[in-house]
Amino acid sequence: MAFIRKKQRERQLQLYSRERFSLLLLNLEEYYFEQHSANHIQHKGSQSERKIRGSLKICSKSVIFEPDAISQPIIKIPLRDCIKIGKHGENGANRHFAKTLSGEISLIFSQVYFIKEHNIVAPYKIERGTMEYVFELDVSGKVEDVVETLLQLHRASCLDKLGDQAAMITAILQSRLARTSFDKNRFQSVSEKLHMECKAEMVTPLVTNPGHVCITDTTLYFQPLNGYPKPVVQITLQDVRRVYRRRHGLMPLGLEVFCTEDDLCSDIYLKFYEPQDRDDLYFFIATYLEHHVAERTAESYMLQWQRGHLSNYQYLLHLNTLADRSCNDLSQYPVFPWVISDYCSAELDLSNPGTFRDLSKPVGALNKERLERLLTRYQEMPEPKFMYGSHYSSPGYVLFYLVRIAPEYMLCLQNGRFDHADRMFNSIAETWRNCLDGATDFKELIPEFYGEDVSFLVNSLRLDLGKKQGGQLVEDVELPPWAQSPEDFLQKSRDALESDHVSEHLHEWIDLVFGYKQKGRDAVEAHNVFHPLTYEGGVDLNSIEDPDEKVALLTQILEFGQTPKQLFVTPHPRRITPKFKSLPQTSSYNASTADSPVSPGEESFEDLTEESRTLAWSNITKLQLHEQHKIHKEAVTGIAVSGNGSSVFTTSHDSTLKMFSKESKMLQRSISFSNMALSSCFLLPGDATVASSSWDNNIYFYSIAFGRRQDTLMGHDDAVSKICWHDNRLYSASWDSTVKVWSALPAGTTGAQRLQFELLAELEHDVGVDTMSLNAASALLVSGTREGAVNIWDLATATVLHQIPCHSGTVCHTAFSPDSRHVLSTGEDGSLNVIDVQTGMLISSLTSAEPQRCFLWDGNSVLSGSQSGELLVWDLLGAKISERIRGHTGAVTCMWMNEQCSSVITGGEDRQIIFWKLQY
């Protein structure tokens, strides 16, 4: 899984560097500055004197010597334990140094650690007592500089206050970074153009590595200040698939870059010193990705999961990534739920609901008796109150599970020691019992429990993890009786995660961890309240002036764990099996044509549930302007979008059909069929042909592939006001008082395939028809006339079912509700009228101060385009306007919405098209 792949990458880097040394040998918040080839002189001046060849590494809180011979242990000397530092043989080593040719450095100290002797990962051995070590540098001329550096770092380590220590070390680090810059000789090509360079740190679990970030028009580079583990890390922008801004240490300083779609393990995680540097780099990469990679949001993943396009496992991975969880940050490691509650039976029965954990409750609320005790304490607690004194995810919990594959991380976190043997991850069942009954144990699981790599369950490294009280060695994790092997355990865990029961209840756990029950009153009612410091925004570190308090607070936050970023503020829809197919691909919510093809959004779906649309529409007030383009000389009248979302087609009163590239944001084609205005357009299935209606009485069919007019239908005696398409049938409305239904079949087999039209029906009106639309099944048609009448037609019999004179003046737009039970119409009189299809009764009427020229609706809420250029969100049940959204500078004349209801395109009299996105 994520951490295992991370370890594999680190091993590859270790092979590159040929070192046993690792940044994990450093203390938390410690930096590795430089290294020097050197000898460790043992028993200096005696007959038994010998030299151990290796590398001397200068770190911010310690000196580390790594012998070349793996039989020799790595030596770590904490600077705070040093008594004297200087050139060997000199008195007053802490003072100025005499000019000598000696290349030897003397350290007198009271404590030393021995690590990885014979390259075996084990608890550090400690030797105490006053002792002296002498190191001989290969380059004697560097001795004075090294000693000065060590003395400076020693002074920092010996300061009484942690805040003062951190401030002095930071000043030393920033001084070193200021004296260096990125080596441009590392560019892959001489033609690369530099965009920006800044200081940053590369983040890996428990440690960070300072250096310089550089980005060109083709590549992202990071050059470590210390050259470890390699001189430069580079990522080609063409390989980047995702980029996320992260909070690191509760500050908006992190940036994580992925070259894969579905992996939790990123290719680089950077922490910047200034938020502006982070944001500049993010926007540069994000702008590059806009032209190459589809944007992904929690809502888009949620819709894919609902429809079965993502497994439960994949969906949880994506939510973790979007919620700032990263395998590079153990305080924000990805979190997964316990789903099984039966670890005692010989057989695992996934058809029995009793097998599963209650996903509607946090772990701390699963045991009723324990919860009652916690609630009693909560009620008696002064503000700020919290129910649980520990979190469900923390660095300690992550490494509790992963100690068998990441022992060095555990040793780093716990100052060179493993936990007590009886507190180790010994048994699945025992761990689950502790989570149910323990006074302070509320931990969830990690992704590895649902992966395929069993190494975290098996002591394959033969680590000496100690003996339990009964004398048994800590070896492999004890599995439940129903698991025949570690592989079988993971397989059955995956089966449980993907089971029908979990699929039907996973949304309840998402509400707790990523959703609306994470904070506020809903969290209190769900018994889901953790310490305030764990929440995003729980503390403003910038407002804390005392450096000691800030360091202590940050340490507490990082060690305690952090709650994921909140992704949803409304109840998460459940995953359900769709009971029906949605509209065909040639039908879509569209105010300028009822039959646009499948959505242009980044995700395409054959079908969407009513719940999915309800979620989108419940957030329609959060529609935000994304981009706008002025591409016509007069008002835009129609919008159609290709199935992959790359091309947008528009018609206008300026008589042109335009083809606009969403990717390049450039106009690709402009076509004129006559000197008369075009009134609407749509794409035929297959996206090879676009049709447009004209005030010159004709309908034109344009071949996109061949770049020419393919067909012309001269079907009316006056201007054609609107056209629609469904199932090889063309519907056309005209000022000649008719709506005509045509059969359209291929005529011949030429490259630009032409169509043969046959008139099937003619729906007569008293006056000119300005608008029309079809219901989902294309069995009914509604039309609106210039004298204010709304007509509902039965297409099977070509007869009018109802004629409702409900507007004074022209009807601007009409549309059926998704269930075809109601019709909504808007008119020049400013009214919005709801009509019952079965009875033809006007059941509701709302009035606005200005005409609503076009609209989209879901049967309950309406998004309308007004004469003034605003978008209005209407609550039909509440009979009120919920939101006003500023948009065009003239009337909004046409609207288009994708099938998942998350993207909108509008056209207006200001000659612009505006792209809108739904921001949850």
Side-chain angles (χ1 to χ4, degrees):
M1 240 318 291
F3 202 94
I4 298 168
R5 284 195 289 272
K6 192 78 186 170
K7 288 283 293 176
Q8 290 170 347
R9 291 185 186 180
E10 288 175 359
R11 281 196 289 270
Q12 291 172 355
L13 292 176
Q14 290 280 25
L15 289 174
Y16 179 93
S17 61
R18 298 179 182 177
E19 292 182 341
R20 286 184 291 157
F21 171 78
S22 143
L23 294 179
L24 293 169
L25 300 184
L26 278 59
N27 295 347
L28 297 178
E29 304 297 315
E30 183 176 8
Y31 298 108
Y32 166 36
F33 285 141
E34 62 191 52
Q35 73 167 352
H36 302 275
S37 297
N39 294 313
H40 174 208
I41 305 178
Q42 295 183 336
H43 312 295
K44 175 71 175 177
S46 69
Q47 291 185 346
S48 59
E49 176 181 320
R50 68 170 183 151
K51 294 182 178 182
I52 307 296
R53 185 69 180 156
S55 171
L56 188 69
K57 303 177 190 298
I58 310 301
C59 307
S60 59
K61 298 179 182 179
S62 61
V63 176
I64 295 176
F65 180 76
E66 179 192 13
D68 290 344
I70 64 172
S71 60
Q72 295 291 324
I74 294 174
I75 298 168
K76 179 179 178 180
I77 305 170
L79 287 170
R80 69 173 181 274
D81 294 325
C82 287
I83 300 168
K84 285 188 177 181
I85 300 172
K87 291 183 179 179
H88 179 64
E90 292 183 341
N91 295 321
N94 287 330
R95 307 262 177 202
H96 297 289
F97 304 98
K99 302 281 186 181
T100 72
L101 297 178
S102 170
E104 298 172 357
I105 297 173
S106 168
L107 300 178
I108 301 175
F109 50 87
S110 60
Q111 182 171 257
V112 62
Y113 294 90
F114 299 104
I115 306 169
K116 296 178 76 171
E117 187 173 3
H118 296 288
N119 209 24
I120 296 173
V121 177
Y124 303 170
K125 295 178 181 178
I126 305 175
E127 186 176 325
R128 294 184 175 91
T130 302
M131 59 199 92
E132 179 182 15
Y133 278 13
V134 177
F135 300 98
E136 178 186 46
L137 301 188
D138 283 6
V139 182
S140 60
K142 291 185 178 181
V143 169
E144 214 164 298
D145 289 340
V146 171
V147 170
E148 286 290 354
T149 298
L150 290 174
L151 288 172
Q152 189 180 32
L153 293 170
H154 177 254
R155 287 194 295 273
S157 297
C158 294
L159 293 173
D160 293 334
K161 295 183 177 181
L162 291 176
D164 292 340
Q165 290 182 25
M168 186 170 178
I169 291 172
T170 298
I172 294 170
L173 170 63
Q174 292 300 322
S175 174
R176 284 174 168 260
L177 287 170
R179 295 196 305 267
T180 58
S181 62
F182 184 85
D183 181 3
K184 307 303 188 298
N185 291 322
R186 294 288 180 180
F187 282 178
Q188 291 298 293
S189 169
V190 294
S191 62
E192 284 185 67
K193 296 179 181 178
L194 175 66
H195 174 69
M196 69 172 287
E197 178 184 347
C198 63
K199 298 174 289 185
E201 296 175 13
M202 187 169 71
V203 179
T204 52
L206 299 181
V207 292
T208 61
N209 201 12
H212 295 275
V213 169
C214 181
I215 191 165
T216 69
D217 55 341
T218 63
T219 310
L220 170 66
Y221 297 95
F222 176 76
Q223 186 171 30
L225 183 65
N226 49 35
Y228 178 88
K230 55 194 294 188
V232 67
V233 178
Q234 61 191 46
I235 295 175
T236 304
L237 294 182
Q238 192 173 356
D239 294 335
V240 175
R241 289 296 171 266
R242 295 175 289 150
V243 58
Y244 298 99
R245 284 177 287 190
R246 299 291 192 212
R247 53 178 177 143
H248 187 274
L250 294 187
M251 301 286 283
L253 299 172
L255 185 77
E256 194 162 20
V257 180
F258 294 78
C259 293
T260 58
E261 284 290 353
D262 300 316
D263 199 340
L264 263 177
C265 190
S266 65
D267 289 81
I268 194 168
Y269 188 134
L270 297 170
K271 171 196 169 187
F272 295 80
Y273 299 110
E274 297 295 336
Q276 190 61 51
D277 287 340
R278 190 278 303 267
D279 291 343
D280 288 346
L281 192 69
Y282 169 80
F283 285 118
F284 182 84
I285 298 175
T287 302
Y288 181 93
L289 295 186
E290 272 188 13
H291 301 97
H292 300 84
V293 181
E295 181 183 353
R296 303 291 179 177
T297 63
E299 296 73 36
S300 66
Y301 286 128
M302 183 261 297
L303 291 174
Q304 291 188 63
W305 171 73
Q306 274 194 294
R307 302 311 310 128
H309 294 201
L310 290 176
S311 66
N312 293 337
Y313 175 80
Q314 290 171 320
Y315 185 43
L316 290 174
L317 287 186
H318 290 308
L319 292 185
N320 272 283
T321 299
L322 291 172
D324 280 346
R325 313 302 285 185
S326 168
C327 63
N328 283 302
D329 185 351
L330 296 188
S331 68
Q332 299 187 91
Y333 199 78
V335 57
F336 269 59
W338 289 93
V339 297
I340 298 172
S341 64
D342 179 6
Y343 294 100
C344 299
S345 300
E347 298 292 332
L348 186 66
D349 183 4
L350 297 182
S351 64
N352 178 11
T355 298
F356 297 94
R357 165 257 183 106
D358 185 348
L359 289 167
S360 69
K361 298 177 181 179
V363 168
L366 293 175
N367 182 325
K368 185 177 180 180
E369 293 181 2
R370 179 178 64 176
L371 178 62
E372 288 175 354
R373 294 194 300 270
L374 292 169
L375 290 178
T376 299
R377 188 190 67 174
Y378 174 75
Q379 297 298 333
E380 298 171 350
M381 186 181 295
E383 295 291 345
K385 295 183 176 184
F386 54 90
M387 296 177 185
Y388 308 114
S390 63
H391 205 255
Y392 51 76
S393 176
S394 69
Y397 287 161
V398 172
L399 295 177
F400 167 83
Y401 290 128
L402 298 178
V403 63
R404 288 168 177 81
I405 58 167
E408 292 175 86
Y409 291 84
M410 177 67 83
L411 293 173
C412 176
L413 185 68
Q414 300 200 152
N415 298 314
R417 299 185 301 272
F418 291 132
D419 205 348
H420 189 279
D422 288 288
R423 292 196 296 267
M424 296 287 261
F425 180 32
N426 293 308
S427 159
I428 303 289
E430 179 185 307
T431 301
W432 171 244
R433 282 194 301 271
N434 287 341
C435 290
L436 287 181
D437 302 331
T440 60
D441 193 347
F442 314 109
K443 59 179 171 286
E444 293 277 11
L445 296 182
I446 55 176
E448 281 75 3
F449 277 82
Y450 303 102
E452 297 181 349
D453 195 318
V454 301
S455 57
F456 77 102
L457 298 171
V458 181
N459 188 13
S460 57
L461 298 177
R462 311 320 304 166
L463 299 168
D464 181 1
L465 298 174
K467 289 183 180 181
K468 293 183 280 187
Q469 286 185 353
Q472 309 98 324
L473 289 171
V474 176
E475 290 290 351
D476 298 346
V477 176
E478 182 183 341
L479 303 174
W482 47 256
Q484 305 304 310
S485 65
E487 291 80 5
D488 185 50
F489 171 75
L490 291 188
Q491 180 61 58
K492 288 176 178 174
S493 296
R494 288 195 298 274
D495 292 343
L497 180 65
E498 303 302 334
S499 67
D500 289 343
H501 180 89
V502 172
S503 293
E504 291 169 4
H505 294 277
L506 186 59
H507 66 285
E508 297 171 331
W509 186 83
I510 292 171
D511 283 336
L512 294 169
V513 177
F514 301 106
Y516 82 106
K517 291 183 180 180
Q518 187 192 93
K519 299 178 182 178
R521 180 178 299 176
D522 292 308
V524 174
E525 292 176 354
H527 306 132
N528 193 40
V529 182
F530 295 86
H531 195 286
L533 290 180
T534 69
Y535 294 94
E536 184 176 27
V539 62
D540 181 6
L541 289 176
N542 288 324
S543 67
I544 299 174
E545 296 181 359
D546 186 338
D548 278 346
E549 182 183 353
K550 181 179 289 188
V551 170
L553 200 59
L554 183 58
T555 301
Q556 182 181 352
I557 290 166
L558 296 179
E559 291 181 357
F560 191 87
Q562 296 176 53
T563 299
K565 179 180 178 181
Q566 190 174 25
L567 299 179
F568 305 102
V569 294
T570 56
H572 192 289
R574 64 186 297 178
R575 189 180 199 182
I576 59 176
T577 304
K579 295 180 175 58
F580 59 89
K581 287 280 186 179
S582 72
L583 309 187
Q585 284 196 347
T586 54
S587 180
S588 170
Y589 289 106
N590 193 330
S592 65
T593 172
D595 46 3
S596 287
V598 70
S599 101
E602 290 76 5
E603 296 76 29
S604 297
F605 307 96
E606 291 184 355
D607 49 19
L608 293 171
T609 64
E610 287 297 334
E611 274 197 43
S612 304
R613 288 175 176 159
T614 300
L615 178 68
W617 274 98
S618 67
N619 288 278
I620 199 69
T621 56
K622 299 174 184 175
L623 202 65
Q624 293 186 5
L625 192 153
H626 182 58
E627 57 187 67
Q628 57 196 91
H629 304 276
K630 185 174 289 186
I631 61 173
H632 282 283
K633 296 180 180 178
E634 294 185 41
V636 182
T637 58
I639 302 170
V641 184
S642 62
N644 62 8
S646 62
S647 298
V648 178
F649 296 86
T650 57
T651 51
S652 168
H653 282 166
D654 65 9
S655 79
T656 63
L657 168 68
K658 305 278 190 181
M659 179 178 175
F660 179 81
S661 170
K662 186 180 177 185
E663 293 182 352
S664 66
K665 306 185 191 314
M666 294 179 62
L667 191 64
Q668 292 185 319
R669 298 186 195 178
S670 181
I671 306 101
S672 182
F673 302 109
S674 72
N675 59 359
M676 299 289 283
L678 298 180
S679 56
S680 67
C681 62
F682 65 77
L683 275 161
L684 272 68
D687 291 353
T689 303
V690 60
S692 56
S693 53
S694 174
W695 283 4
D696 68 1
N697 311 351
N698 297 327
I699 301 167
Y700 297 98
F701 295 82
Y702 174 79
S703 170
I704 300 169
F706 288 85
R708 63 172 183 261
R709 184 170 63 187
Q710 177 178 306
D711 282 298
T712 302
L713 175 61
M714 296 177 284
H716 287 276
D717 299 325
D718 205 338
V720 182
S721 55
K722 187 71 178 290
I723 52 174
C724 303
W725 178 277
H726 178 68
D727 197 18
N728 289 329
R729 290 194 177 184
L730 171 68
Y731 303 82
S732 58
S734 171
W735 294 352
D736 66 5
S737 306
T738 67
V739 172
K740 294 184 178 181
V741 184
W742 310 82
S743 169
L745 298 173
T749 57
T750 58
Q753 194 173 61
R754 303 191 62 177
L755 296 170
Q756 180 176 332
F757 297 96
E758 178 183 348
L759 183 62
L760 299 179
E762 188 169 335
L763 312 181
E764 294 282 356
H765 296 68
D766 296 331
V767 293
V769 182
D770 269 68
T771 185
M772 67 157 178
S773 63
L774 302 167
N775 76 334
S778 295
L780 301 174
L781 181 145
V782 59
S783 58
T785 69
R786 59 181 48 186
E787 290 188 355
V790 173
N791 303 277
I792 300 175
W793 298 82
D794 180 353
L795 291 175
T797 59
T799 56
V800 65
L801 299 176
H802 307 289
Q803 186 175 24
I804 308 101
C806 54
H807 292 277
S808 57
T810 300
V811 179
C812 297
H813 189 62
T814 59
F816 286 92
S817 60
D819 60 9
S820 299
R821 293 178 181 177
H822 302 107
V823 162
L824 178 67
S825 64
T826 60
E828 284 185 344
D829 57 2
S831 63
L832 288 80
N833 296 325
V834 180
I835 300 164
D836 182 79
V837 171
Q838 185 175 6
T839 63
M841 291 180 60
L842 179 63
I843 59 176
S844 174
S845 183
L846 302 179
T847 302
S848 62
E850 58 182 341
Q852 302 302 304
R853 296 281 295 273
C854 53
F855 66 83
L856 305 159
W857 79 312
D858 71 337
N860 298 308
S861 300
V862 179
L863 177 68
S864 66
S866 68
Q867 184 71 30
S868 65
E870 285 185 316
L871 300 187
L872 305 184
V873 179
W874 299 77
D875 176 5
L876 292 181
L877 297 178
K880 63 181 181 181
I881 297 173
S882 304
E883 190 71 34
R884 294 179 178 269
I885 306 170
R886 297 183 63 181
H888 293 269
T889 55
V892 184
T893 51
C894 52
M895 307 175 78
W896 181 93
M897 179 182 272
N898 66 348
E899 218 172 315
Q900 57 265 50
C901 306
S902 60
S903 296
V904 171
I905 305 174
T906 58
E909 285 187 346
D910 58 2
R911 301 169 285 170
Q912 293 193 106
I913 56 171
I914 297 182
F915 294 82
W916 306 81
K917 283 192 176 181
L918 198 57
Q919 302 292 334
Y920 288 82

